[in-house]
Amino acid sequence: DAKTTQPPSMDCAEGRAANLPCNHSTISGNEYVYWYRQIHSQGPQYIIHGLKNNETNEMASLIITEDRKSSTLILPHATLRDTAVYYCIVGGINTNAGKSTFGDGTTLTVKP
Amino acid sequence: GAVVSQHPSRVICKSGTSVKIECRSLDFQATTMFWYRQFPKQSLMLMATSNEGSKATYEQGVEKDKFLINHASLTLSTLTVTSAHPEDSSFYICSALKDYEQYFGPGTRLTVT
């Protein structure tokens, strides 16, 4: 499975949009991009996933570049409870990236 | 949404003893479950893939005789850490696959003294 690169940390003001980038330049044609987040001492929480089209759900939006080599997770109105480590991983749909590598993720800190 | 539970949430055991951690899918059946380990300030590391009715598949470097995995039913997978040592102290997290989505448990904090 392809590996991903994320900035180690980001800050965001409460109420503003948080844009978290992810590079996955070696992604293959059948691999999806998944985003999870992990709040301290809890299990990861699924956020969103996509193949090539932009996706939106109640939590976030996922923007995938046309060449699929990078993507951006957008939290439209960040709250203090969105402070967490955000993981971008790529993998096959059949295991929902279950066998993919979790990188170090981006620690997002939402500040009042 | 789908719910995955783990029991216990925290456990402290003495060196040399064995500890069993349960992972249950509460409202769905999961043919496949995954076990991860997470050390402080580090990312999740996949330990093994647990398949109902068959042997688990372990990742490279994970000792199958030390970390026993049993997936006897479609809603329960267990991880037994045998002869635990202080270096096994970690946060153990399971996940279950449902409809191509992965649902994670809340994790189990193991401390070996």
Side-chain angles (χ1 to χ4, degrees):
Chain A
D1 292 322
K3 292 189 176 178
T4 61
T5 304
Q6 299 176 253
S9 64
M10 292 183 64
D11 290 344
C12 177
E14 187 178 19
R16 304 297 291 268
N19 299 300
L20 292 91
C22 178
N23 287 321
H24 32 79
S25 58
T26 60
I27 190 170
S28 62
N30 61 350
E31 288 185 316
Y32 284 68
V33 180
Y34 297 89
W35 283 84
Y36 291 86
R37 72 180 182 184
Q38 185 178 28
I39 296 171
H40 183 62
S41 294
Q42 296 182 24
Q45 175 189 23
Y46 166 82
I47 301 173
I48 199 167
H49 75 280
L51 182 62
K52 55 182 178 181
N53 297 323
N54 297 338
E55 302 287 345
T56 296
N57 63 20
E58 63 277 7
M59 289 183 67
S61 294
L62 174 60
I63 308 298
I64 303 174
T65 58
E66 194 168 341
D67 64 6
R68 303 209 323 123
K69 292 185 177 182
S70 65
S71 61
T72 301
L73 178 74
I74 302 172
L75 307 179
H77 306 287
T79 70
L80 299 179
R81 284 186 287 186
D82 291 322
T83 292
V85 179
Y86 287 77
Y87 295 101
C88 164
I89 57 177
V90 297
I93 190 66
N94 58 339
T95 59
N96 189 238
K99 290 186 66 64
S100 297
T101 303
F102 275 75
D104 292 331
T106 296
T107 299
L108 174 68
T109 303
V110 181
K111 298 184 175 182
Chain B
V3 179
V4 175
S5 70
Q6 284 185 239
H7 178 79
S9 57
R10 290 177 178 270
V11 57
I12 300 173
C13 71
K14 293 187 177 181
S15 187
T17 61
S18 295
V19 175
K20 180 185 284 187
I21 302 170
E22 294 184 348
C23 176
R24 294 182 184 271
S25 54
L26 297 185
D27 51 359
F28 67 100
Q29 294 182 329
T31 306
T32 302
M33 292 183 174
F34 301 98
W35 286 96
Y36 294 83
R37 180 168 53 182
Q38 186 175 33
F39 293 108
K41 298 189 184 299
Q42 294 187 23
S43 186
L44 283 76
M45 290 178 53
L46 180 65
M47 298 176 67
T49 302
S50 171
N51 298 298
E52 188 270 336
S54 64
K55 291 183 178 180
T57 304
Y58 291 81
E59 295 299 301
Q60 192 172 10
V62 178
E63 300 175 57
K64 62 180 181 181
D65 294 331
K66 179 170 181 62
F67 299 98
L68 302 178
I69 291 173
N70 185 283
H71 194 155
S73 78
L74 288 171
T75 59
L76 173 65
S77 176
T78 61
L79 168 68
T80 301
V81 182
T82 63
S83 187
H85 290 284
E87 57 265 32
D88 297 323
S89 297
S90 188
F91 192 49
Y92 291 86
I93 306 169
C94 73
S95 70
L97 206 58
K98 179 198 175 194
D99 297 336
Y100 305 126
E101 290 193 12
Q102 193 174 188
Y103 297 89
F104 285 85
T108 295
R109 177 79 57 192
L110 170 63
T111 302
V112 184
T113 60

